[in-house]
Amino acid sequence: MSESALQIRPDVPAEMPVIAVKNAVIFPIPNLPIPLGVGRPRTMAAIEKAAAEDGVLLVATQQDPDDEKPGPDDLHRFGSVVRVLRLTRSMDGPDELLIEGVCRARVEQFAETDDHLRAVITPVADLNPPDAESHALLRTLKDLASKVIELSPRIPDEALSIVEGIDDAGHLTDLVASQLRIGLEEKQELLEVWDVKTRMNRVIAALAHEAAVLEISGRIRTEVRDSLDKHQREVYLREQLRAIRKELGDDDDAEDDLDELAERIGRAAMPEAADKAARRELRRVRRMNPQSAEANVARSYIDWLLDVPWNTITEDNLDVKAAAALLDADHYGLERVKRRITEYLAVRKLKGDMKGPILCLVGPPGVGKTSLGKSIANALGRNFVRISLGGVRDEAEIRGHRRTYIGSLPGRVVKGLKKAGSINPVFMLDEIDKLGADFRGDPSSALLEVLDPEQNDTFSDHYLEVPVDLSSVLFMATANRLDTIPGPLRDRMEIIEIPGYIQEEKREIARRHLLPRLLDDHGLDDGLVELTDDALEVVIDQYTREAGVRTLNRQLAAVLRSVARDIAMDEVEPPVRIDAERARKALGPQKFFPESKQDIATPGVAVGLAWTPVGGEILLIEATAMKGKAQLTLTGQLGEVMKESAHAAMSFIHARAEVLGIDESLFSERKIHLHLPSGAIPKDGPSAGITIVVALTSLLTRTPMRGNLAMTGELTLRGVVLPVGGIKEKVLAAARAGITEIVLPHHNMGDIEEIPAHLREEMTFYPVERIEDVIRIALGIDIPSPSAPIAVPAPDAATA
């Protein structure tokens, strides 16, 4: 188009603000409001400037839609002049700008201001001579647009009246062009054509192509619908065709597949219920269209039935000594678990048949619960499969989905059997304490059948709908806590608690298992590195604080990485000796400080022992008194049980004040504050009961507690000391702190057997049954035990 044919709109300003749009081309269609989502700062500034001037601005399309800050070189040189109608602010999304078209415009020059973009333009009017050709093109355009509207399911029928009501060829062409399914570049080319005839010819060509595509799509939809209506007739004809091809010896591939499936069913030797279900489903498939969705669902069901290892059984290794040796080689310690597995093997060897035990290994993270399952599978000669139950909230994850649902599959139990390839694997249910429940059901309830030896020989999966025998599976569950496992589920499992490792056990595990693997992972084998005992001691004591060995593994890896770097950079010559100093240099400042004996010469201080998920800890309890209204203040993030223990201790001391030699006025004129340091750490449990009594008695009698002594035990109001848990961890914590004398409940003396022999010989244990014994040992105050309950005088007859 020549410059002489260009018609300029004199009523449009020659300079105006510019906004950039992406993924769209705006055509100048008068009297048709167009909404735009806006929000970029430069765009908002341009809109405000346009509103302050003539109310018009230029809309130009970005060449790169991903550019969030387009400049003059990033915009097309042809756009649309639009009039701003309204700007609607939004609180939770982009603002909406309502515009209507004015005319096309060619950009002569862009100019950038501080906050928006402007342009000097040439506003272009449509070139549309009213001749016969224009009228013919307009009629053709309307006919094609009407046809596309009728064929397209996405365009409402109301669009027909809009098309018929527009007689301006340029406006109608722009309206249709804005709705065409063509690329942005093609739309931009249409925008740059101001000759209406040329523009109409291009739009008519695109409309004709769209109409042809829609006609083909409609024909395909009709054929599909007709084919569904003819399904029954096709089934009959297909059966006839199969018979004809069989006579000709030219059977189709689909029939070959079904025959092969029938042979697999015959060879599988499945249980009677599964065999009947598979053959019944196969008969249904033969009557279906092979291409139908229902046939695929039925085929998948048969495949799953065949994939379950109904009769595949691995032979157990009944050599008890060899199995015990393999367990010892893979894991250090964990004697209770190893003994339980060897007991199972011994019974299997003597009896010949036994249902698999259902074990639940409970312990802190990193002590080897999951890896122990793999070792047990290796020792038994069985396959191993593990499923993680952490965060599982849907019952269908265990039992599967019913086949009425699209995309249904069996549950994790059946999937696990398929993965294992045998009907008697070691099945690890990891993180069973982290099961959830919601509106989709309770997976822990579904596990009740799986883990019940009296029921699991007929386990029913919702997808298979045939009994699956799980009685020969050795189920093992792992958990960090017992209290989050529902009671009925916990009752079905044999609980084996795995305590945290002591320092000596960690050293052995590091030497036997961690270091050889880490040296190989870091390419430091063949004697390139020697780790001294002092260095290993430093890493364990000063850089880890855990019950397991995961952090120890990471810290040792960090030390070895530093050595590997030094060797690679030729800073050291192998072999490298890693001593304590080099370990500290690799790991940085000391992170943990071992517990040590505290100075408890001050009255009101007592040393207790506490259990934590990462082992035992020294628990310091401090008490002080001040003038004020009688009150017991408790601080240090104490839980409800520990608060109750403190109040019970205070009540006991108040009741025995006379025999303890405590002035009665102290309870009415003094405010007592009980504090447990490390206030950021929550504390709970009843085992600090006797320690609280000793701290308060020490305060009120002004008698300091003897040194080198720690204690643990629950207290009743009658002064009876009850047994508590975690004795092994607590005693080990005392040993680490250099404490050699322990006061503990008499009924806990049996737990002493779990403590290493060398520590039992070095330490002195005081078994106690009453709090008077504790006070005598800790404070040197000898008070008599009450021989009878305190008598309460009966009311006289007159009062009664």
Side-chain angles (χ1 to χ4, degrees), residues 307-343:
D307 287 339
V308 175
W310 302 99
N311 297 306
T312 305
I313 301 176
T314 57
E315 185 176 351
D316 282 348
N317 172 25
L318 298 180
D319 188 339
V320 180
K321 291 183 178 179
L326 184 58
L327 289 173
D328 287 336
D330 288 347
H331 287 80
Y332 181 81
L334 307 178
E335 299 302 329
R336 289 185 59 192
V337 188
K338 295 177 184 177
R339 182 177 179 83
R340 182 63 184 87
I341 297 303
T342 53
E343 289 172 352

Side-chain angles (χ1 to χ4, degrees), residues 216-281:
I216 296 172
S217 300
R219 187 165 62 250
I220 292 173
R221 286 197 299 272
T222 302
E223 290 174 357
V224 170
R225 184 172 60 251
D226 292 341
S227 67
L228 293 176
D229 295 337
K230 298 174 183 177
H231 175 66
Q232 295 298 327
R233 184 171 64 90
E234 285 184 1
V235 170
Y236 173 76
L237 293 175
R238 193 172 298 281
E239 285 294 322
Q240 287 189 328
L241 181 62
R242 186 183 69 82
I244 293 171
R245 287 183 173 175
K246 186 175 182 180
E247 290 294 327
L248 294 174
D250 186 23
D251 205 356
D252 59 359
D253 293 339
E255 287 300 321
D256 289 342
D257 291 343
L258 294 180
D259 292 341
E260 181 183 348
L261 206 58
E263 293 177 5
R264 288 180 59 195
I265 293 173
R267 294 194 305 267
M270 295 183 288
E272 182 180 358
D275 186 75
K276 286 184 178 179
R279 294 183 185 278
R280 181 179 64 248
E281 205 68 17

